[in-house]
């Protein structure tokens, strides 16, 4: 047993996910409090190059052909060996499809407590604690991270990814671990999202609509505003589930990750699954009649006016400003 903090690196198609840097930023404070060091755990095949800007004291690199593509069974197999050989104080993952699945398997397999959806972690007098957001982000729960080993999944919002990047490349230690492959889960193919619609991940102004838009006809107003602003419309999952927008416009865990200059969130509550896809926005402006909505935690500007009153006025003002 040691007091080290591990962060499992999430990567896809040669790119480290922002949530990894968020977890590294969180882990830096934990390591300072626990008195241990901070290790990024990188699993892959010929992926050593991804280690360069990880803000960790060292990178534990597990290289194996079975880890070339994400496979929860293989990831959990390799991490089981790593954690069992020298258990750290805490292992952080992103609260993403990849992270939550791997952490869940590990928790069951190693009988370790898993604290999910943490927005922040802290230390006071050497005691490690967490703040987790539940009920779609509306309730915050505080507690101590169980000893001796805890698994944690992190949601974005509290730490900036930049805080988790290192200026100097960390030492990379190649481990001799290889995942035991049972072959129950196999990787078949990576499916690129269907083309044909605009790619919202490369649009600089996004007008995002949530359930608060109330009906399909009102989406037209959002389209009008987006057009006036030179941007595009996207939405939360309920809007897509209702068929008011195509799947290609969904932002979040099951949709796309976007990084626009401006993200105007209209009638979106700010559930963790949605925030996961838009927390990289340069500027977020939220309009929501519920002042307690979690979207205001990630927005720089906000208003609690009724979006259906605001939209016609906003369209008029933007069009007038363009003409004037
Ligand atoms: C495994 C999993 C994956 C998921 N993936 C995604 C995903 O990729 N993307 C995603 O978005 N969700 C995803 N979800 C769903 C997510 O948990 C939330 O349910 C969803 O994001 C809520 O969407 P919403 O904010 O539009 O609706 P709600 O949570 O219902 O919020 C509507 C908001 O509109 C406000 N409002 C209502 N009327 C008005 C008005 N007239 N003016 C101003 N404000 C108003 C309300 O106050 C409320 O805050 C996922 C869930 C799971 C379990």
């Amino acid at each position: 047993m040691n007091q080290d903090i591990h962060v499992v690196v999430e990567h896809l198609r040669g790119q480290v996910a922002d949530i990894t840097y968020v977890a590294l930023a969180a882990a830096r404070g934990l390591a300072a409090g626990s008195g241990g060091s901070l290790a990024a755990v990188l699993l892959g095949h010929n992926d050593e190059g991804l280690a360069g800007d990880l803000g960790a004291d060292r990178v534990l690199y597990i290289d194996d052909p079975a880890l070339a593509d994400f496979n929860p069974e293989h990831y959990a197999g390799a991490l089981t060996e790593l954690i069992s050989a020298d258990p750290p104080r805490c292992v952080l993952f992103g609260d993403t499809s990849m992270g939550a699945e791997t952490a869940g398997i590990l928790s069951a397999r190693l009988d370790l407590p898993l604290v999910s959806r943490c927005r922040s972690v802290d230390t006071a007098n050497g005691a490690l604690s967490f703040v987790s957001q539940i009920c779609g982000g509306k309730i915050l729960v505080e507690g101590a991270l169980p000893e001796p080993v805890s698994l944690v999944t992190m949601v974005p919002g509290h730490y900036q990814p930049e805080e988790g990047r290192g200026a100097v490349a960390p030492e990379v230690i190649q481990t001799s671990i290889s995942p035991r492959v049972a072959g129950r889960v196999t990787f078949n193919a990576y499916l690129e999202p269907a083309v044909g619609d605009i790619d919202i991940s490369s649009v600089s102004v996004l007008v995002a609509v949530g359930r608060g838009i109330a009906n399909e006809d009102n989406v037209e107003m959002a389209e009008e505003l987006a057009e006036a602003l030179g941007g595009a419309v996207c939405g939360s999952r309920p809007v897509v589930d209702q068929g008011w927008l195509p799947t290609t416009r969904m932002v979040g865990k099951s949709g796309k990750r976007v990084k626009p200059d401006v993200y105007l969130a209209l009638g979106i509550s700010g559930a963790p699954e949605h925030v996961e896809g838009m927390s990289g926005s340069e500027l977020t402006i939220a309009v929501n009649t519920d002042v307690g909505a979690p979207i205001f935690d990630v927005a720089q500007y906000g208003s609690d006016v009724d979006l259906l009153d605001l939209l016609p006025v906003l369209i008029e003002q933007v069009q007038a400003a363009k003409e004037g």
Side-chain angles (χ1 to χ4, degrees):
M1 199 79 54
N2 59 60
Q3 292 302 310
D4 292 349
I5 310 297
H6 286 182
V7 170
V8 176
V9 177
E10 179 169 327
H11 59 99
L12 185 67
R13 323 306 288 171
Q15 280 223 304
V16 175
D18 271 357
I19 193 67
T20 294
Y21 299 106
V22 166
L24 284 166
R28 176 57 69 198
L30 274 190
S34 71
S37 66
L38 169 55
V41 182
L42 177 62
L43 300 93
H45 185 48
N46 300 327
D47 283 319
E48 200 175 330
L50 298 179
D53 70 344
L54 299 173
D57 299 325
R58 64 191 196 287
V59 176
L60 302 176
Y61 179 43
I62 307 176
D63 186 287
D64 193 283
L67 299 170
D69 291 290
F70 174 72
N71 180 317
E73 192 185 29
H74 301 175
Y75 262 51
L79 291 170
T80 297
E81 283 194 43
L82 183 80
I83 295 170
S84 306
D86 190 11
R89 172 66 182 88
C90 195
V91 186
L92 274 64
F93 302 80
D95 192 274
T96 58
S97 305
M98 290 186 190
E101 193 164 357
T102 309
I105 297 173
L106 275 177
S107 172
R109 189 174 288 173
L110 295 171
D111 197 20
L112 292 175
L114 166 59
V115 188
S116 55
R117 299 187 174 194
C118 291
R119 72 192 302 266
S120 63
V121 285
D122 206 352
T123 55
N125 307 321
L128 274 51
S129 61
F130 67 87
V131 175
S132 164
Q133 50 187 62
I134 60 170
C135 295
K138 290 193 176 117
I139 297 177
L140 298 181
V141 184
E142 295 177 357
L145 283 173
E147 295 187 42
V149 183
S150 291
L151 306 178
V152 169
T153 63
M154 298 293 303
V155 295
H158 189 78
Y159 304 94
Q160 293 304 314
E162 293 68 41
E163 300 167 46
R165 291 183 205 275
V168 181
E171 180 194 7
V172 178
I173 301 166
Q174 180 123 13
T175 71
S176 55
I177 290 170
S178 64
R180 270 173 277 136
V181 178
R184 285 176 300 226
V185 181
T186 54
F187 174 81
N188 285 342
Y190 176 75
L191 301 177
E192 290 284 354
V195 287
D197 192 18
I198 56 153
D199 178 8
I200 55 168
S201 61
S202 57
V203 173
S204 61
V205 178
L206 284 173
V207 176
V209 293
R211 209 195 307 260
I213 196 77
N215 62 51
E216 189 170 10
D217 290 345
N218 292 334
V219 176
E220 271 178 36
M221 278 199 285
E223 298 274 8
E224 220 177 312
L225 177 62
E227 198 186 324
L229 291 168
V233 170
C234 60
S236 65
R237 183 163 161 176
V239 172
V240 171
D241 285 350
Q242 303 261 20
W244 300 344
L245 283 175
T247 313
T248 44
R249 302 291 182 106
M250 179 159 64
V251 172
K253 191 189 211 51
S254 335
K256 286 202 170 167
R257 281 165 202 242
V258 296
K259 284 186 172 184
D261 296 334
V262 180
Y263 192 82
L264 177 57
L266 303 172
I268 292 178
S269 60
E273 294 84 4
H274 184 81
V275 172
E276 184 176 326
M278 51 67 68
S279 60
S281 305
E282 196 65 40
L283 176 72
T284 299
I285 305 166
V287 178
N288 194 311
T289 44
D290 175 7
V291 290
I295 191 71
F296 290 121
D297 294 340
V298 289
Q300 284 82 20
Y301 296 97
S303 167
D304 63 354
V305 297
D306 188 319
L307 76 90
L308 299 175
D309 294 336
L310 179 72
L311 264 175
V313 182
L314 210 49
I315 294 165
E316 202 183 295
Q317 294 284 325
V318 173
Q319 284 170 345
K322 280 172 76 180
E323 281 157 20

